[in-house]
Amino acid sequence: QVQLVESGGGLVQAGGSLRLSCAASGSIFAINAMGWYRQAPGKQRDVVALIFSGGPTNYADSVKGRFTTSRDNAMNTVYLQMNSLKPEDTAVYYCAADVADIATMRFQYYWGQGTQVTVSS
C-alpha cells in the first residue's frame, strides 16, 4: 500500500504565499513523476505542476513564474511553493505520484486526500 499525505493549505490574502508538502509512504519500490493538481468548485481537476525523477518540471501556463515545485527523493516528498497568489488560485490542491510498489513492481498513479487553498481578494 502507498499513501500520500499533504499539508500546508490554508487561507491567504492575494499576493501572499503558501507552501504545500506531500509525503509518500508505504511499500514503495520507485517513484517516477510527482506533482500537483487542483480542482475549483464546479470545474474539472487540472494539472498545476509536475516534477519527474530526473528533475525536469512542467507547469500550467496560469502558474508559471509564480509557483515552483521541488522534490526530496530521499524523503519521497514533493513541494509546491506558491507565490503571488491570486483569488483564481482558490481550489482544492491534490498531490499525485506515479509509484511502483514493492509487491507488483508496476507503476500506478496515487492521489493525496486534497488540501484547501483559499485566496481572498
Side-chain angles (χ1 to χ4, degrees), residues 8-20 66-67 81-91 93 116-121:
L11 173 64
V12 65
Q13 288 188 333
S17 298
L18 282 174
R19 188 186 193 219
L20 305 182
R66 301 188 297 121
F67 290 11
Q81 178 66 44
M82 304 184 291
N83 298 328
S84 303
L85 282 160
K86 305 175 181 180
E88 50 264 42
D89 294 318
T90 295
Y93 284 70
Q116 178 69 45
V117 171
T118 302
V119 184
S120 63
S121 58

Side-chain angles (χ1 to χ4, degrees), residues 19-93:
R19 188 186 193 219
L20 305 182
S21 300
C22 172
S25 63
S27 55
I28 297 170
F29 175 71
I31 302 178
N32 186 10
M34 302 184 81
W36 298 91
Y37 293 72
R38 67 186 181 187
Q39 187 168 19
K43 296 188 177 182
Q44 66 181 19
R45 188 176 300 186
D46 290 326
V47 62
V48 175
L50 296 173
I51 181 166
F52 298 90
S53 58
T57 55
N58 285 335
Y59 295 94
D61 288 343
S62 59
V63 306
K64 283 180 181 177
R66 301 188 297 121
F67 290 11
T68 302
T69 189
S70 60
R71 64 192 280 176
D72 182 335
N73 290 327
M75 299 297 292
N76 292 331
T77 299
V78 63
Y79 305 96
L80 184 67
Q81 178 66 44
M82 304 184 291
N83 298 328
S84 303
L85 282 160
K86 305 175 181 180
E88 50 264 42
D89 294 318
T90 295
V92 177
Y93 284 70

